Amino acid sequence: MCWSAQARWEGKKVTVEDLHTQSRWLKTFRRVARPRCRLVCAPHAGGTAQAYRSWPAGLPADVEVHGVQYPGRQDRLGEPAPHSMDDLIGPIADSLEPFLGEPLALFGHSMGAVVAYEVTLELERRHGQVVDLLAVSGSRAPHERENHDRHALDDEGLIEELRRLNDGFTDLLDSPELLELVLPSIRADFGVVAGYLRTPPVPVRAPLLVLGGSEDPDVSPEQLTRWRACAGGAFGTRVLPGGHFYLDDEQPVLDQLTPWLPGRRS
């Protein structure tokens, strides 16, 4: 499917406005003329699309890679941060419309896992099975959410919670100037997570791969298996060494993900 404003899906014209929406919500880290598939990755709470900027180096050369950019950060700092999952799902699904009809995989880590799950459900509601793989990481299942009100912590408590989740945040957390910029989006994202629950779970038609860290303080390997209730077809789990941000060591993650990626449709 081409990237021009004349691209079509089931007779629906994809307009210039659609492509503008896509450019705000998606950052492209590798463009491929005829990709084996497109991989669209949703970041964790407080995260940005840049979390996936180095992924193309560890994936096959024919995989096109995009990161989701939530509002309220970086180049979208002037936009309101999301207040609920509904603020994210519809616009992200809209941004993926030009990709439909070609092989498509969605990946999400932590908050991004349920974002990717809900976007998959929304696309399936609109069009049927158009996502060829849903891969989720570092998250409890949609019907078994965490009992954390991190968004209600004061700044000091929120900073300590971030240290607990990932000591790699040290440079950020020790910079008052950066904290002033990022804490509002982190707090807003934690509020989105706290307000989210889907019960009963709804199975996706896409194959479902679940990944996590063996030492994740919030999501145990056993809890990862409960995503099975969200699988309407193929299902697999992979547990890798590390904590909540085990995927900072990204190549083992990409090695597990690659065999599940779809190929070109005949």
Side-chain angles (χ1 to χ4, degrees):
M1 183 172 290
C2 71
W3 270 70
S4 74
Q6 300 302 314
R8 295 172 182 274
W9 168 249
E10 291 187 346
K12 176 184 180 296
K13 183 177 180 180
V14 178
T15 66
V16 171
E17 183 179 354
D18 293 330
L19 295 177
H20 175 67
T21 297
Q22 184 180 61
S23 69
R24 286 193 303 120
W25 286 89
L26 298 182
K27 303 302 174 187
T28 303
F29 299 120
R30 178 163 64 198
R31 182 87 67 201
V32 179
R34 287 186 57 79
R36 161 190 171 182
C37 75
R38 291 186 173 97
L39 174 62
V40 178
C41 305
H44 57 276
T48 72
Q50 296 299 316
Y52 302 102
R53 66 188 181 280
S54 59
W55 276 34
L59 289 165
D62 56 357
V63 175
E64 187 171 288
V65 182
H66 305 263
V68 176
Q69 187 77 312
Y70 306 142
R73 64 214 72 201
Q74 290 189 331
D75 59 322
R76 304 188 67 184
L77 189 62
E79 300 178 45
H83 294 291
S84 71
M85 198 64 69
D86 289 342
D87 292 339
L88 298 171
I89 302 312
I92 295 173
D94 292 343
S95 76
L96 298 180
E97 291 276 344
F99 292 163
L100 302 186
E102 300 267 346
L104 177 63
L106 302 187
F107 175 91
H109 177 67
S110 195
M111 168 183 164
V114 290
V115 169
Y117 165 73
E118 288 291 337
V119 170
T120 299
L121 286 179
E122 175 61 15
L123 289 173
E124 291 183 347
R125 183 190 68 79
R126 297 181 187 183
H127 303 294
Q129 186 174 349
V130 290
V131 175
D132 299 280
L133 172 67
L134 171 62
V136 297
S137 166
S139 172
R140 297 187 186 190
H143 56 294
E144 296 191 353
R145 306 308 302 153
E146 303 170 15
N147 294 319
H148 290 308
D149 289 326
R150 298 183 176 109
H151 64 294
L153 296 170
D154 60 21
D155 286 354
E156 183 178 351
L158 186 56
I159 290 168
E160 288 308 307
E161 178 66 7
L162 295 173
R163 291 188 194 277
R164 183 185 74 86
L165 288 172
N166 188 356
D167 56 13
F169 289 157
T170 299
D171 290 344
L172 166 66
L173 300 178
D174 290 341
S175 171
E177 296 81 6
L178 287 176
L179 278 174
E180 185 178 359
L181 288 175
V182 303
L183 276 186
S185 64
I186 293 173
R187 187 182 303 281
D189 289 355
F190 279 152
V192 169
V193 173
Y196 172 76
L197 177 69
R198 179 176 280 278
T199 182
V202 177
V204 296
R205 303 182 194 180
L208 176 58
L209 174 64
V210 183
L211 304 101
S214 59
E215 305 301 322
D216 189 326
D218 289 339
V219 188
S220 70
E222 194 277 331
Q223 286 168 326
L224 293 174
T225 65
R226 296 175 189 167
W227 276 90
R228 183 179 292 277
C230 301
F235 176 79
T237 59
R238 302 289 186 271
V239 178
L240 298 172
H244 187 65
F245 283 91
Y246 74 98
L247 75 173
D248 286 348
D249 183 11
E250 62 193 36
Q251 194 56 55
V253 178
L254 301 180
D255 289 344
Q256 293 295 330
L257 180 61
T258 296
W260 283 72
L261 292 175
R264 291 197 59 82
R265 297 175 185 159
S266 59

